[in-house]
Amino acid sequence: MIAPIVNTIKPEIIYPERDGNPMADNTVQFRWITTIKSNLDWLFAQDEQVFVAGDLLWYPTEGNNKKRQAPDVMVIFGRPKGDRGSYQQWKEDNIAPQVVFEILSPGNTQTEMNRKLLFYEHHGVEEYYIYDPNKNELSGLLRNEQHLEVIEEMDNWISPRLGIRFQLSEPELIIYHPDGQPFSSYTEEKERAETERQRADNERQRADNERQRADKLAAKLKELGINPEEI
């Protein structure tokens, strides 16, 4: 009797890069997601070991492609910058995102948000911030030894990890960089960067003009038989 051949090769597990859900349900939610993400990019631009992502699927457990979340914005300290199709934690020194932001839309249900909270709590998120731009309501949770606990007073709260400050104001939330500058939109930051570039160009041009005038004066003095270095 011939023994049956047993296939011991395990099928490859695919970790999809999309979950079929849109990044945002409306322009307000999209604006907040991109504003927070881009400002955190600028904040940590000089630190190669801080990875900031928006709407990126996070898989915490190898072998399980059903357990996943795509935070609106997440920040991971200790992981290099760079492009990723998804954040597969076991390939990232098993470092979980430390800070997560969710921007609410009218389509978010309480059941969905409860599920996200349990996921983030179970998988080690240290700071979790939820902002509802339609109601202008901000809530936050901070990890103690075991669990995420509600931050009782969010007005002027400073993130332990990020150093940014949240100010509850009207008509909407204001977030400040550690240097006191408010978060700005992509357009505002682009305009600011262009202004800084023009200022630097003007300074370089002014220095070049001064150097050219000095060179011409030195040449003229030499024509007159005067050593500029002896003046």
Side-chain angles (χ1 to χ4, degrees):
M1 182 176 180
I2 299 176
I5 299 175
V6 179
N7 186 1
T8 59
I9 300 176
K10 294 182 179 180
E12 180 184 2
I13 297 176
I14 304 299
Y15 300 90
E17 297 182 1
R18 300 300 305 169
D19 57 7
N21 296 320
M23 176 179 176
D25 292 338
N26 53 61
T27 57
V28 175
Q29 186 186 30
F30 182 80
R31 173 169 60 85
W32 272 100
I33 292 172
T34 54
T35 294
I36 292 173
K37 199 271 182 185
S38 59
N39 277 269
L40 293 177
D41 277 335
W42 295 322
L43 176 59
F44 295 107
Q46 303 306 314
D47 192 334
E48 289 299 321
Q49 290 299 309
V50 179
F51 174 55
V52 181
D55 193 41
L56 184 71
L57 279 172
W58 163 24
Y59 293 94
T61 308
E62 185 175 10
N64 189 341
N65 61 4
K66 303 299 183 184
K67 183 182 293 185
R68 63 193 186 188
Q69 282 293 339
D72 288 333
V73 180
M74 62 181 178
V75 185
I76 303 98
F77 292 83
R79 297 309 302 153
K81 302 184 190 305
D83 294 328
R84 293 161 170 81
S86 63
Y87 189 81
Q88 298 176 30
Q89 188 173 317
W90 59 95
K91 295 181 179 179
E92 307 280 356
D93 288 345
N94 207 33
I95 297 176
Q98 293 93 352
V99 185
V100 163
F101 291 82
E102 292 287 355
I103 308 300
L104 301 186
S105 72
N108 291 120
T109 66
Q110 190 60 52
T111 299
E112 175 190 2
M113 298 313 297
N114 289 342
R115 189 183 302 115
K116 287 184 177 184
L117 172 58
L118 291 174
F119 182 96
Y120 296 147
E121 182 175 62
H122 180 72
H123 292 291
V125 169
E126 298 175 12
E127 301 177 41
Y128 177 28
Y129 299 105
I130 310 103
Y131 181 54
D132 185 339
N134 294 305
K135 297 180 180 179
N136 192 26
E137 293 178 352
L138 173 70
S139 57
L141 298 100
L142 183 68
R143 180 169 292 276
N144 60 17
E145 293 182 0
Q146 298 292 332
H147 306 288
L148 287 170
E149 291 189 346
V150 173
I151 300 168
E152 296 296 338
E153 181 55 64
M154 283 302 301
D155 192 23
N156 288 315
W157 171 261
I158 297 176
S159 161
R161 273 284 191 175
L162 307 177
I164 61 177
R165 179 169 63 88
F166 302 91
Q167 180 181 322
L168 301 177
S169 61
E170 294 294 341
E172 60 183 10
L173 173 71
I174 302 175
I175 307 177
Y176 292 92
H177 285 273
D179 64 1
Q181 293 296 316
F183 273 27
S184 54
S185 68
Y186 173 79
T187 300
E188 292 169 334
E189 195 62 29
K190 186 176 180 181
E191 290 174 350
R192 182 190 305 171
E194 180 62 23
T195 300
E196 286 297 315
R197 187 191 64 79
Q198 291 179 354
R199 185 191 62 78
D201 287 345
N202 291 339
E203 289 294 330
R204 283 193 294 270
Q205 186 62 51
R206 189 177 299 111
D208 288 343
N209 293 340
E210 289 295 331
R211 185 167 56 252
Q212 289 174 8
R213 282 195 291 268
D215 290 343
K216 289 179 180 179
L217 177 59
K220 186 64 175 178
L221 290 173
K222 288 181 179 179
E223 289 179 3
L224 298 174
I226 302 172
N227 187 350
E229 296 180 358
E230 296 177 353
I231 299 178

